[in-house]
């Protein structure tokens, strides 16, 4: 505290009369300013004293804090507060089965550790991840409740067999099973199936399965089978919507049964709005590489795009590559399979299977299935030469083929009961390959025959020696080039007709054979065709040109 200045000043007159202050006046003002400054200094000294006291208290608290602090209790309390406030739903937490006692060498079963990891992740809205350096063995079903990130870690499945007489249901059919879970991701799985039993069906044949799930993804999944048992890489089992399956690689299923499935297994259930993209199915040998069918409900609006079905081979007498069906035997609840599209895919097969596309209902109905820019390459031994159904088998004219390439060596029909063939190329490698369609437009056929209700702007090069007897058809601006001499009957139609068509070098190797039986031909050109090949066609001599010359106009309709 500084005391105020208290002085007395003697009043002296100035030496001359001016406007300047006297010494007394100046001194009084200085004294007043000094006293004002002193008062301010005294006021600040009080504040400084309080600040010093607060500093001393803080110093003492800090010096003594860590001596009395329980760090674990503080962390636990904070975590409890965050959990009660729901903050963990925004701060995602991952849990690894390794933390719950999983055998990371893949020697003993890790099912319990997987279950505990999913339970912990679900409690905080988190996810499960696998250590890429670990190896896991699963022999039981795991109920999955959140996203799973495999990170390429190997999962080995070695399953016991189903008891004699037992049937599959949801308790024993799926290995990693998501049921009633929405908005999740399954990424980076690497599953190897080593179950070895060629005769008995194993438990949990479907390795990754989904039921009543919406808005989910299965991506970057690799399945490698070293097994001869029933095996299903993935199964969209029932009532799933808005899902994406992408970059899935399936290798070598030796099983006599099995394949990847998209289906509807609940009565009146609907599986829809799904995509399968950039997937590879290599050396498949099961029932089918990919099956899409309404087992007990409806499957619709599914797109399969940029997929490769590679080096397929025979595993049993019932093999079919793609199954598209309205239902299964014994299921009266099946409704339909509809609006299924395959785009930009390729299929290669090292043998001729029973069917490549098997589209039929055992129950229910089929809707439209489209094949766009699909390449079919099929060669090798035909294990089913006596089959009467086509390799690309439609149902009730519901299959559509657009801008496809089909190269097949077979003595059987290639496309059966489809609706539209548009701008496609078919090659039959010297054997009969009949194309049956409701409408064939702007397509090319090498060593193939075709027929349908309407055929327009098509070409065919025929080298076969087998009879072709067909139903009613209408052919516009079509062309046949014949190089074989063993055909006995050709285009045996009933009340069909040709218009603006060209037949070259048709020769029938039979004195009783006939072509164009009961067929009217309008404005057609017959080049180097034998007379016996044409004698049964009504009015054919008055409306067409032979060998050369202009087309004669018709004399009547």
């Amino acid at each position: 505290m500084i005391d105020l200045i208290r002085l007395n000043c003697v009043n002296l007159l100035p030496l001359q009369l001016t406007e300047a202050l006297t010494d007394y006046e100046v001194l009084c003002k200085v004294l007043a300013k000094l006293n004002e400054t002193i008062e301010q200094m005294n006021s600040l000294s009080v504040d400084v004293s309080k600040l010093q006291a607060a500093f001393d208290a803080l110093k003492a608290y800090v010096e003594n804090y860590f001596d009395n602090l329980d760090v674990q209790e503080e962390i636990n309390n904070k975590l409890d507060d965050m959990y009660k406030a729901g903050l963990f739903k925004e701060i995602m937490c991952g849990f690894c089965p390794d933390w719950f006692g999983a055998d990371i060498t893949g020697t003993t079963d890790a099912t319990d550790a997987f279950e505990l990891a999913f339970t912990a992740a679900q409690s905080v809205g988190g996810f499960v991840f696998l250590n890429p350096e670990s190896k896991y063995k699963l022999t039981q079903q795991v109920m999955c409740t959140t996203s799973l990130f495999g990170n390429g870690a190997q999962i080995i499945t070695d399953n016991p067999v189903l008891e004699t007489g037992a049937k599959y249901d949801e308790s024993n059919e799926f290995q990693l099973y998501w049921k009633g879970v929405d908005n999740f991701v399954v990424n980076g799985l690497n599953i190897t199936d080593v179950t070895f039993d060629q005769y008995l069906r194993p438990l949990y044949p479907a390795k990754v399965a989904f039921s009543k799930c919406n808005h989910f993804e299965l991506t970057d999944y690799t399945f490698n089978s070293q097994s001869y048992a029933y095996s299903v890489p993935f199964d969209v089992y029932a009532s799933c919507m808005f899902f994406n399956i992408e970059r899935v690689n399936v290798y070598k299923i030796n099983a006599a049964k099995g394949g990847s499935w998209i289906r509807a297994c609940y009565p009146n259930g609907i599986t829809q709005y799904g995509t399968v993209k950039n997937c590879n199915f290599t050396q498949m040998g099961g029932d089918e590489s990919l099956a899409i069918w309404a087992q007990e409900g409806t499957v619709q609006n599914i797109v399969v795009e940029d997929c490769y079905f590679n080096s397929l081979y025979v595993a049993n007498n019932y093999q079919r590559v793609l199954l598209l069906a309205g239902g299964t035997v014994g299921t009266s609840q099946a409704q339909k399979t509809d609006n299924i599209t395959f785009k930009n895919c390729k299929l290669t097969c090292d043998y001729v299977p029973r069917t490549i596309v098997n589209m039929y209902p055992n129950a229910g109905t089929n809707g439209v299935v489209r094949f766009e820019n699909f390449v079919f390459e099929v060669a090798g031994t035909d294990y089913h030469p006596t089959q009467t159904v086509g390799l690309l088998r439609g149902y009730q004219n519901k299959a559509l083929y657009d801008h496809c390439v089909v190269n097949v060596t077979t003595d059987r029909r290639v496309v059966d009961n489809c609706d539209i063939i548009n701008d496609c190329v078919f090659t039959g490698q010297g054997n009969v390959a009949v194309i049956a369609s409701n409408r064939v437009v702007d397509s090319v056929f090498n060593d193939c025959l075709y027929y349908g209700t309407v055929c327009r702007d098509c070409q065919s090069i025929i080298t076969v020696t087998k009879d072709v007897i067909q139903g009613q058809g209408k052919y516009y601006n079509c062309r046949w080039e014949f190089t074989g001499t063993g055909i006995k009957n050709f285009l045996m139609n009933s009340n069909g007709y040709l218009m603006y068509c060209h037949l070259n070098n048709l020769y029938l190797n039979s004195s009783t054979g006939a072509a164009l039986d009961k067929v009217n031909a309008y404005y057609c050109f017959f080049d180097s065709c034998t007379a016996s090949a044409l004698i049964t066609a009504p009015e054919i001599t008055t409306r067409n040109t032979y060998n050369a010359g202009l087309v004669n106009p018709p004399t009547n309709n």
Side-chain angles (χ1 to χ4, degrees):
M1 176 68 69
I2 303 175
D3 294 332
L4 298 177
I5 301 174
R6 302 182 185 280
L7 298 173
N8 294 321
C9 299
V10 178
N11 187 9
L12 297 177
L13 295 174
L15 298 177
Q16 59 183 2
L17 296 176
T18 66
E19 293 182 358
L21 295 176
T22 63
D23 293 340
Y24 172 75
E25 290 174 325
V26 172
L27 184 59
C28 287
K29 290 183 178 295
V30 172
L31 180 62
K33 181 58 65 176
L34 287 174
N35 285 334
E36 180 182 346
T37 302
I38 291 171
E39 288 177 350
Q40 292 177 352
M41 290 291 294
N42 290 338
S43 176
L44 288 175
S45 66
V46 176
D47 294 337
V48 171
S49 298
K50 293 179 180 179
L51 181 61
Q52 181 66 45
F55 173 78
D56 292 340
L58 176 62
K59 180 181 178 182
Y61 174 80
V62 171
E63 290 175 347
N64 297 319
Y65 176 76
F66 289 102
D67 293 336
N68 301 317
L69 178 65
D70 187 341
V71 177
Q72 185 62 56
E73 182 180 1
E74 290 294 326
I75 294 175
N76 291 342
N77 291 339
K78 185 62 177 177
L79 291 175
D80 288 342
D81 292 341
M82 294 176 68
Y83 175 76
K84 291 176 182 178
L87 296 179
F88 281 147
K89 293 183 179 180
E90 298 180 2
I91 305 175
M92 298 296 290
C93 292
F95 295 84
C96 181
D98 299 14
W99 306 346
F100 299 90
D103 178 3
I104 62 174
T105 66
T107 304
T108 59
D109 184 49
T111 300
D112 290 343
F114 271 68
E115 292 271 14
L116 291 172
F118 275 107
T119 299
Q122 184 185 21
S123 67
V124 297
F127 59 88
V128 174
F129 69 93
L130 305 183
N131 185 346
E133 304 299 325
S134 297
K135 183 185 295 184
Y136 307 94
K137 183 178 181 179
L138 296 178
T139 63
Q140 304 296 319
Q141 184 180 86
V142 177
M143 292 301 299
C144 307
T145 53
T146 66
S147 295
L148 172 60
F149 297 91
N151 296 316
Q154 186 176 18
I155 299 175
I156 299 172
T157 58
D158 187 3
N159 303 109
V161 297
L162 198 64
E163 295 181 4
T164 303
K167 296 182 179 180
Y168 284 121
D169 57 34
E170 292 187 55
S171 67
N172 59 19
E173 192 170 0
F174 312 119
Q175 193 97 61
L176 293 168
Y177 186 27
W178 283 261
K179 182 177 182 180
V181 184
D182 295 336
N183 301 303
F184 63 95
V185 174
V186 182
N187 175 265
L189 290 183
N190 179 11
I191 297 179
T192 300
D193 185 26
V194 298
T195 305
F196 190 89
D197 196 312
Q198 196 167 0
Y199 305 103
L200 298 177
R201 301 176 76 181
L203 292 170
Y204 323 113
K207 301 308 171 184
V208 181
F210 311 94
S211 175
K212 294 185 177 180
C213 297
N214 300 316
H215 299 281
F216 66 90
E217 292 187 356
L218 172 63
T219 58
D220 300 301
Y221 166 36
T222 298
F223 176 82
N224 191 341
S225 175
Q226 300 176 11
S227 167
Y228 282 87
Y230 193 87
S231 193
V232 179
F234 67 80
D235 186 357
V236 181
Y237 177 68
S239 300
C240 294
M241 294 194 296
F242 303 107
F243 58 89
N244 180 43
I245 299 172
E246 191 165 0
R247 297 183 302 279
V248 172
N249 295 288
V250 178
Y251 297 98
K252 197 177 181 180
I253 294 185
N254 299 315
K257 293 284 186 179
S260 296
W261 297 340
I262 298 175
R263 51 184 176 154
C265 291
Y266 294 144
N268 301 314
I270 300 178
T271 294
Q272 61 182 340
Y273 303 118
T275 58
V276 181
K277 294 182 179 180
N278 300 306
C279 297
N280 291 301
F281 301 86
T282 302
Q283 293 186 353
M284 304 288 290
D287 263 355
E288 55 272 332
S289 298
L290 178 62
I292 302 174
W293 89 98
Q295 186 163 340
E296 294 187 44
T298 294
V299 177
Q300 60 188 11
N301 304 318
I302 307 296
V303 177
V304 180
E305 188 171 4
D306 296 318
C307 292
Y308 190 20
F309 303 88
N310 181 35
S311 300
L312 308 175
Y313 63 95
V314 68
N316 63 77
N317 290 331
Y318 302 99
Q319 210 278 341
R320 57 244 176 170
V321 178
L322 302 173
L323 172 64
L324 303 151
T328 56
V329 175
T331 56
S332 60
Q333 299 296 326
Q335 294 172 341
K336 66 178 179 178
T337 302
D338 192 16
N339 196 24
I340 312 299
T341 302
F342 289 80
K343 292 182 178 181
N344 306 321
C345 297
K346 184 175 182 179
L347 180 150
T348 63
C349 197
D350 297 336
Y351 71 103
V352 181
R354 183 173 182 267
T355 55
I356 299 172
V357 175
N358 199 0
M359 180 181 171
Y360 70 98
N362 292 323
T365 60
N366 270 104
V368 175
V369 176
R370 298 176 179 85
F371 295 87
E372 301 175 5
N373 298 306
F374 203 125
V375 177
F376 299 89
E377 296 280 354
V378 180
T381 303
D382 189 343
Y383 285 88
H384 307 276
T386 62
Q387 283 291 321
T388 59
V389 298
L391 288 171
L392 305 179
R393 182 185 182 188
Y395 180 77
Q396 295 180 342
N397 293 322
K398 296 293 181 66
L400 282 65
Y401 292 85
D402 189 11
H403 292 83
C404 294
V405 175
V406 181
N407 187 358
V408 179
T409 300
T410 182
D411 198 28
R412 294 188 275 140
R413 287 202 299 269
V414 175
V415 177
D416 198 354
N417 289 321
C418 76
D419 186 25
I420 297 176
I421 296 176
N422 181 53
D423 198 14
C424 295
V425 177
F426 292 83
T427 300
Q429 296 296 324
N431 291 315
V432 172
V434 180
I435 315 301
S437 171
N438 194 44
R439 184 162 34 139
V440 184
V441 182
D442 195 24
S443 295
V444 177
F445 302 86
N446 297 321
D447 305 333
C448 302
L449 303 178
Y450 59 90
Y451 66 92
T453 303
V454 177
C455 294
R456 186 184 300 273
D457 302 325
C458 296
Q459 300 179 53
S460 181
I461 299 175
I462 299 175
T463 61
V464 297
T465 59
K466 189 173 182 179
D467 295 354
V468 179
I469 301 175
Q470 307 180 77
Q472 181 177 350
K474 299 177 182 179
Y475 299 84
Y476 300 90
N477 197 31
C478 296
R479 182 183 183 93
W480 288 274
E481 294 282 348
F482 299 89
T483 57
T485 59
I487 299 176
K488 295 181 179 180
N489 297 287
F490 176 72
L491 288 183
M492 301 294 288
N493 293 287
S494 174
N495 299 319
Y497 65 82
L498 312 180
M499 182 173 287
Y500 302 111
C501 291
H502 187 144
L503 284 78
N504 183 40
N505 199 35
L506 174 59
Y507 177 84
L508 298 186
N509 188 18
S510 171
S511 60
T512 60
L516 309 178
D517 185 28
K518 297 181 181 179
V519 176
N520 289 306
Y522 304 89
Y523 310 108
C524 293
F525 185 82
F526 296 88
D527 187 3
S528 301
C529 296
T530 61
S532 63
L534 309 172
I535 58 175
T536 60
E539 299 187 23
I540 199 168
T541 58
T542 61
R543 299 190 174 193
N544 307 282
T545 299
Y546 299 92
N547 298 322
L550 298 175
V551 176
N552 298 319
T555 59
N556 54 62
N557 293 328

